[in-house]
Amino acid sequence: MIPAGGGSGDGTGSSPGALLHLARQAAAAGAEVLARRGARTPGATSKSSDSDWVTAFDVAAERAVRSVIATSRPHDAITGEELGTTVPPGAGPGGAGIRWSVDPLDGTTNFIRDIAYYATSVAAADGDGTWLAGVVHAPALQRIYWASRGGGAWLSDRGEVRRLSGPRAGRGRLLATGFSYDSAVRADQVGELGALLEGFGDLRRLGSAALDLCMVADGTLDAFMERGLNEHDLAAGALIAEEAGVVVHRPALAPMLDGGPSEAERLAAVTAAGSADFIARLTRTPHPTGGTP
């Protein structure tokens, strides 16, 4: 059962609650594919570097997610990490209407190595680009995070459901981040760590931006910042953090239905979540590649 305020519906309407209902079903279908991972190491193929991988599970999970969405909403556009962009007939000019952003397996390297921090991420936006619903389903952790616009953020942790309200004071402060697959960008990121850690007691690098954002929402982490994310990495997690009351800075990237950002644009863009002071410090600090995050 989805708690009051967490959204409801049959998935056929375009309200945030109805879209959330369908997003939860779709993310569960993807997570069910990931849960079939056996004891053997899954076969993997390198995509862009020796740390950027794809497995048959990534593709199968995305197909499962898309099947659930297309069955209920055949005219919606879908953009996904592995299978690209689909704008079916009837979606409207330029794909206007509801669009889904799918990351079938965020944390593929973790998945390959049997590290529990990986998840299926599903989010829905309207034609103006406003995110309305998002789900991050982590089968190995037995956690499901979800949010709908105006409906709050929620977590089911091994079946126990609670509403999320962001970081709590009094325990020291933990920052989460990630590093680019691009070696030059990664070198810049390492050089920035000293300044970035100002005001924090320690750093965590868990390997899934979607879960990092969710763990700021649930108070496990105090802030998150990463450069070079794709939209599908952050779409659901950013909404969940926002609905938990966390301040989120989303990068202004070229629309996915227009082909998405260039590689240079993506690598320079910063996603962050945390306190208002943390976000203000990031967004007013000149960036090594020029401009501000």
Side-chain angles (χ1 to χ4, degrees), residues 111-194:
F111 181 80
I112 293 168
R113 295 172 179 264
D114 202 18
I115 299 169
Y117 288 89
Y118 56 84
T120 296
S121 173
V122 178
D126 66 16
D128 295 325
T130 300
W131 295 100
L132 301 177
V135 179
V136 176
H137 192 137
L141 296 174
Q142 298 182 56
R143 294 180 191 169
I144 309 167
Y145 294 88
W146 70 88
S148 59
R149 177 67 58 185
W154 303 82
L155 164 63
S156 172
D157 186 354
R158 295 173 174 82
E160 181 177 340
V161 176
R162 64 183 174 95
R163 188 164 186 165
L164 306 181
S165 56
R168 299 180 295 279
R171 303 178 302 163
R173 301 183 70 217
L174 278 178
L175 173 68
T177 193
F179 298 100
S180 173
Y181 299 128
D182 182 280
S183 59
V185 175
R186 189 165 60 242
D188 281 346
Q189 291 171 313
V190 172
E192 295 164 6
L193 280 179

Side-chain angles (χ1 to χ4, degrees), residues 143 145 155 162-169 171-174 211-223 240-241 244 246:
R143 294 180 191 169
Y145 294 88
L155 164 63
R162 64 183 174 95
R163 188 164 186 165
L164 306 181
S165 56
R168 299 180 295 279
R171 303 178 302 163
R173 301 183 70 217
L174 278 178
L211 284 170
D212 282 336
L213 286 160
C214 289
M215 292 171 73
V216 177
D218 74 19
T220 301
L221 302 168
D222 296 282
I240 291 163
V246 176

Side-chain angles (χ1 to χ4, degrees), residues 46-58:
S46 176
K47 291 199 291 186
S48 65
S49 76
D50 62 3
S51 55
D52 184 14
W53 299 91
V54 62
T55 72
F57 286 88
D58 296 69

